[in-house]
């Protein structure tokens, strides 16, 4: 029998490409053939970051289409990027599908589109192909996006996404409330960028609703009330539990695996892991304060300093810092994060609270020290520290900086808190149970697979 052929279309950012790669591996385990669509820009990064000593088996076909931006243009300018995606990518995707479908034995049988690439669902509908929309964020964020028409109708935001007044919003009585100034699209650039991102998210959400299946990389127990707000959504997370050796991971930067052997030499639960995902940028003063906070803590640490983590040169550490922490601190450009978080030497995770990082830490029972940067990370932090109570969050001083003493103090408090540790381990069990045989996410995923294989 011919294998079903899924075309996988993630949003062009690291925090989307990684979980979609994971999802692709799960689909392959169920007999799917996968064609994975990156933008040309990200395709080049993924290929360049592949391990040189090839253990990666070529199981996923990587293809690319243009995102409409010039090579040197700033892809962190989300307002601009989203406008360009909508202008250029639907045609590119349609042309790609036609080309693939020209070959008889290779026809695309379904499109697995990122919920934030809802336009790809429209392409699927237009071409008579079944589609799933998959969100790699919380159900709470999906609920917010699904409720945009209601927020407009109730006069909470205008049709450009701007709050009419500053107020607290609660989407359901049992969900944490948040301020209208914290709407995800308001964290980018100027008003034009915010309007552009809002329109993009709104349009994509409406389009994604046309999909045959709505899925989300979360699990029921951590946000039950949000699930009630998006009734058709099926939770299939955490998607990451099964990373295996030699599998394509979709990193944009080459991983530094040497930190794993360094971790092997450290005592159990002794190393603070610090990583801020793919997007966060620090100013020089804050970067120094973080370095000095780690030094002051007197603890061992593994710190991911991406080449573009600071708005200046990334090796601009405080004077003498590297020499002073040489015995107990390890700094890498990009880590194999899931393996790091699963390592017994890790004591806690100083994180920006990106959703993937949150799920990865949670699945390994690692307590969090939260340092959200923007967008949904603030909501994720509220869940981590106030709802699930598996972490603490750092506070800024009156000048807007998180000072070194705060970092040291909160690390001491976090690592001395047995309650947080016990709850982290409980949450790990719940996460793992969900994706183990018989678990709710496991069942949802399998039901989806059966349905997608049956309905031709
Ligand atoms: N990541 C990694 N190595 C690093 C830092 C991050 O592999 O050194 C991965 C991490 O495991 C996660 C993704 O990059 O899967 C970041 O996604 P997240 O949603 O946490 O943050 P974003 O980059 O979207 O802000």
């Amino acid at each position: 029998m011919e294998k079903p052929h899924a075309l996988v279309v993630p949003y062009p950012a690291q925090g989307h490409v990684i979980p979609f790669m994971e999802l692709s591996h799960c689909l392959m385990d169920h007999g799917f053939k996968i064609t994975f669509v990156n933008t040309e820009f990200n395709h080049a990064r993924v290929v360049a970051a592949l391990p040189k000593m090839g253990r990666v088996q070529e199981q996923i076909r990587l293809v690319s289409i243009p995102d409409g931006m010039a090579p040197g243009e700033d892809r962190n300018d989300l307002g601009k990027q989203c406008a360009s995606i909508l202008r250029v990518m639907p045609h590119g995707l349609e042309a790609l599908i036609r080309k693939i479908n020209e070959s008889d034995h290779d026809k695309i049988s379904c499109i697995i589109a990122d919920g934030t690439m809802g336009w790809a669902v429209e392409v699927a509908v237009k071409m008579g192909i079944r589609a799933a929309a998959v969100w790699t964020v919380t159900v709470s964020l999906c609920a917010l996006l699904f409720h945009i028409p209601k927020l407009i109708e109730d006069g909470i935001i205008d049709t450009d996404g701007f709050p009419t007044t500053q107020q607290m919003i609660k989407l359901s009585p049992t969900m944490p409330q948040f301020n209208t100034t914290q709407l995800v699209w308001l964290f980018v650039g100027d008003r034009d960028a915010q309007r552009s991102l809002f329109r993009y998210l709104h349009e994509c959400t409406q389009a994604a609703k046309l999909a045959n299946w709505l899925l989300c990389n979360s699990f029921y127990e951590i946000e039950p009330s949000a699930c009630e707000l998006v009734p058709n959504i099926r939770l299939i997370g955490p998607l990451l539990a099964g990373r295996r050796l030699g599998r394509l991971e979709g990193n944009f930067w080459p991983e530094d695996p040497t930190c794993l052997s360094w971790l092997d030499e450290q005592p159990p639960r002794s190393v603070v892991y610090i990583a801020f995902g793919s997007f966060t940028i620090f100013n020089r003063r804050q970067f120094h304060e973080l370095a000095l906070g780690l030094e002051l803590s007197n603890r061992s640490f593994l710190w991911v300093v991406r080449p573009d983590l600071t708005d200046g040169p990334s090796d601009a550490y405080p004077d003498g810092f590297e020499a002073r922490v040489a015995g107990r601190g390890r700094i890498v450009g990009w880590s194999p994060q899931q393996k790091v978080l699963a390592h017994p030497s890790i004591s806690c995770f100083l994180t920006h609270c990106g959703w993937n990082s949150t799920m990865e830490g949670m699945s390994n029972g690692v307590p969090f020290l939260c340092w959200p940067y923007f967008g949904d990370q603030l909501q994720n932090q509220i869940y981590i520290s106030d709802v699930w109570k598996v972490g603490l969050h750092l506070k800024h001083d009156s000048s807007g900086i998180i000072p070194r003493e705060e970092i040291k103090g909160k690390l001491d408090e976090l690592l001395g808190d047995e309650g947080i540790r016990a709850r982290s381990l409980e949450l790990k069990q719940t996460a793992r149970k969900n994706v183990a045989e018989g678990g709710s996410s496991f069942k949802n995923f399998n039901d989806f697979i059966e349905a997608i294989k049956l309905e031709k």
Side-chain angles (χ1 to χ4, degrees), residues 15 18 251 273 277-278 304 334-335 337 352 354-357 360 377:
I18 288 179
N251 289 309
Y273 175 58
S278 58
V304 178
W334 190 251
S335 81
Q337 179 163 303
H352 71 309
W355 186 236
N356 295 293
S357 294
E360 290 162 6
Q377 297 154 15

Side-chain angles (χ1 to χ4, degrees), residues 85-328:
I85 288 174
L86 274 187
R87 202 172 50 243
V88 171
M89 290 188 78
H91 299 294
L93 190 70
E94 201 178 319
L96 174 73
I97 296 170
R98 289 196 194 291
K99 197 165 154 227
I100 295 173
N101 282 353
E102 277 167 15
S103 146
D104 278 348
H105 58 277
D106 213 18
K107 288 197 179 9
I108 301 295
S109 37
C110 59
I111 294 186
I112 312 288
D114 200 317
T116 54
M117 296 285 259
W119 54 265
V121 174
E122 274 177 342
V123 171
V125 171
K126 182 176 165 197
M127 300 183 80
I129 304 171
R130 288 159 315 129
V134 187
W135 279 267
T136 61
V137 294
T138 52
V139 191
S140 305
L141 180 51
C142 293
L144 172 72
L145 298 175
F146 276 71
H147 273 68
I148 286 175
K150 178 94 171 63
L151 295 178
I152 296 174
E153 194 186 304
D154 292 349
I156 293 172
I157 55 172
D158 64 23
T159 49
D160 287 331
F162 296 115
T164 47
T165 54
Q166 229 197 80
Q167 57 181 302
M168 299 306 285
I169 316 182
K170 223 173 186 332
L171 292 179
S172 91
T174 45
M175 277 170 73
Q177 58 177 359
F178 62 95
N179 198 293
T180 43
T181 54
Q182 293 180 339
L183 290 162
V184 280
W185 49 88
L186 298 179
F187 287 93
V188 301
D190 57 12
R191 278 177 74 88
D192 284 343
Q194 292 165 7
R195 185 183 300 110
S196 165
L197 180 58
F198 168 76
R199 287 185 179 161
Y200 178 85
L201 289 172
H202 184 27
E203 251 180 64
C204 281
T205 308
Q206 294 307 314
K209 285 184 188 167
L210 303 172
N212 306 68
W213 299 275
L214 307 181
L215 306 170
C216 181
N217 183 19
S218 182
F219 56 97
Y220 180 77
E221 288 84 347
I222 51 176
E223 33 176 3
S225 35
C227 296
E228 285 160 27
L229 297 179
V230 198
N232 296 329
I233 206 154
R234 296 286 167 262
L235 275 52
I236 57 167
L239 268 176
L240 44 109
R243 269 207 187 182
R244 278 169 237 161
L245 274 180
R247 285 189 153 186
L248 191 59
E249 292 174 356
N251 289 309
F252 288 0
W253 293 269
E255 277 178 358
D256 182 341
T258 60
C259 58
L260 293 172
S261 38
W262 180 79
L263 282 175
D264 287 343
E265 291 158 16
Q266 312 304 316
R269 288 200 281 127
S270 66
V271 179
V272 179
Y273 175 58
I274 306 110
F276 297 95
S278 58
F279 211 84
T280 315
I281 292 176
F282 278 73
N283 64 41
R284 195 179 158 81
R285 196 173 144 220
Q286 184 62 86
F287 182 73
H288 274 203
E289 216 49 37
L290 169 55
L292 296 170
L294 295 174
E295 183 180 347
L296 188 66
S297 78
N298 218 14
R299 297 176 185 276
S300 300
F301 63 85
L302 171 60
W303 182 13
V304 178
V305 180
R306 281 190 341 262
D308 59 350
L309 182 69
T310 57
D311 54 10
S314 65
D315 56 352
Y317 297 100
D319 252 1
F321 167 77
E322 285 165 287
R324 291 194 302 272
V325 299
R328 61 183 171 88

Side-chain angles (χ1 to χ4, degrees), residues 8 43 50 65 72 80 107 118 172 183 253 256 305 347 350 363:
V8 177
H43 176 80
L50 287 175
I65 55 176
K80 213 171 179 184
K107 288 197 179 9
S172 91
L183 290 162
W253 293 269
D256 182 341
V305 180
S347 62
L350 174 44
S363 306

